[in-house]
Amino acid sequence: MLYAIVGEDHPGSLTARMEARPAHVERLKALQEEGRLIMAGPFPAIDSADPGPAGFSGSLIVAEFPSLDVAKAWADADPYVAAGVYAGVTVKPFKKVLPA
């Protein structure tokens, strides 16, 4: 099943985010190589593709996991969690409708 993982950044966590980003991206690449990643990316803190020093307000990952518990465990092990980037993480089942 698919799950949506939404991480909400702590204000002022851009430096920690950038330091933890390589490890975060490696985990996403592993999901992609396994054919389980649907999409992933950050939420710019301002209305701009490149928010510069304004940074990001969080991230969205949609990926396939065998269960909600496994998806939550995967999210809890994210380098952004360990680095203190995320103030909170929500994991919910997701049903993709479009594009088909």
Side-chain angles (χ1 to χ4, degrees):
M1 178 159 194
L2 296 179
Y3 295 90
I5 301 169
V6 179
E8 297 289 337
D9 286 17
H10 281 288
S13 63
L14 181 59
T15 299
R17 174 183 266 274
M18 298 314 293
E19 290 172 359
R21 186 174 186 277
H24 172 79
V25 171
E26 282 304 311
R27 294 179 84 231
L28 293 172
K29 285 181 181 178
L31 285 179
Q32 183 177 20
E33 289 169 5
E34 295 167 7
R36 297 171 41 206
L37 182 65
I38 303 303
M39 64 188 220
F43 299 116
I46 60 173
D47 190 12
S48 174
D50 181 2
F56 301 93
S57 63
S59 303
L60 169 66
I61 299 165
V62 178
E64 184 179 350
F65 293 93
S67 70
L68 180 59
D69 287 340
V70 173
K72 286 181 177 181
W74 187 91
D76 288 344
D78 194 290
Y80 284 172
V81 172
V85 174
Y86 289 154
V89 177
T90 302
V91 181
K92 295 181 179 184
F94 181 81
K95 182 177 178 181
K96 181 178 179 236
V97 176
L98 294 171

